[in-house]
């Protein structure tokens, strides 16, 4: 007697490169990008189905809006500008993940990147940044993906070289 066992293959979670490929392909979907309702007063967003169980968003940015300093905790991610231009200010330093409220940053940690339409980036765990549409008159639209789906977002305030943890948000806070 012979017995045949079938084993389901394990699906690997999406990598930063997979997420960047997803946001690039999604941003090229001009029909989807054009369908996002834009509000002149605040950001708008639509949740998308990301690859491999990731969380994905299409976000509209009115002129002069931004996220403030934050990180995505244990998630890796990618985002790409589909229309307009965004600016990313980021910290090129690995911060302690827990147990602190205030840190003094060294002078060499700041990085600034302009991301016009068609450009984006991937990032790793605990990447601290802020994203801004600093245009005085043009909306921007971007596509974002995170894996695992965002377990929390830590929000920070910054005065000079002092970074202060202000709030920890969890998914139930966004509903």
């Amino acid at each position: 007697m012979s017995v045949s066992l079938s084993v389901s293959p394990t699906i690997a979670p999406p990598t930063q490169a997979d997420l960047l490929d997803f946001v690039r392909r999604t941003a090229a979907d001009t029909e989807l990008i054009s369908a996002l309702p834009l509000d002149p007063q605040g950001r708008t967003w639509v949740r998308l189905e990301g690859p491999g169980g990731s969380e994905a968003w299409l976000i509209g940015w009115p002129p002069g809006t931004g996220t403030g300093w934050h990180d995505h905790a244990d998630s890796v991610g990618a985002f790409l500008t589909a229309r307009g231009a965004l600016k990313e200010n980021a910290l090129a330093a690995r911060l302690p993940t827990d147990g602190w409220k205030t840190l003094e940053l060294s002078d060499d940690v700041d990085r600034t990147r302009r991301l016009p339409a068609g450009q984006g980036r991937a990032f790793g765990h605990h990447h601290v940044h802020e994203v801004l549409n600093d245009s005085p008159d043009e909306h921007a639209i971007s596509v974002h993906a995170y894996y695992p789906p965002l377990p929390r977002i830590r929000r920070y305030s910054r005065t000079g070289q002092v970074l202060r943890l202000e709030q920890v948000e969890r998914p139930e806070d966004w509903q």
Side-chain angles (χ1 to χ4, degrees), residues 25-49:
R25 285 183 288 108
T26 303
D29 183 341
T30 55
E31 188 175 322
L32 176 67
I33 301 306
S34 296
L36 179 67
L38 300 177
D39 180 335
Q41 302 303 313
R43 290 189 299 152
T44 55
W45 54 86
V46 173
R47 185 151 185 181
L48 305 171
E49 188 67 35

Side-chain angles (χ1 to χ4, degrees), residues 40-141:
Q41 302 303 313
R43 290 189 299 152
T44 55
W45 54 86
V46 173
R47 185 151 185 181
L48 305 171
E49 188 67 35
S54 64
E55 181 172 343
W57 297 90
L58 180 62
I59 301 176
W61 305 76
T65 59
T67 61
W69 287 95
H70 68 283
D71 72 16
H72 304 101
D74 298 318
S75 297
V76 298
F79 71 100
L80 186 129
T81 306
R83 181 183 297 164
L86 293 172
K87 175 181 168 184
E88 181 195 33
N89 295 319
L91 300 180
R94 182 84 175 178
L95 303 181
T97 56
D98 290 304
W100 65 275
K101 291 285 187 187
T102 303
L103 289 175
E104 186 164 347
L105 304 169
S106 62
D107 290 334
D108 62 347
V109 299
D110 289 299
R111 301 293 182 271
T112 298
R113 178 176 299 182
R114 290 224 33 95
L115 299 164
Q119 291 194 13
R121 69 178 312 257
F123 54 86
H125 304 281
H126 309 288
H127 175 69
V128 178
H129 69 164
E130 66 175 348
V131 180
L132 311 157
N133 176 5
D134 60 2
S135 169
D137 54 11
E138 185 180 6
H139 256 85
I141 298 175

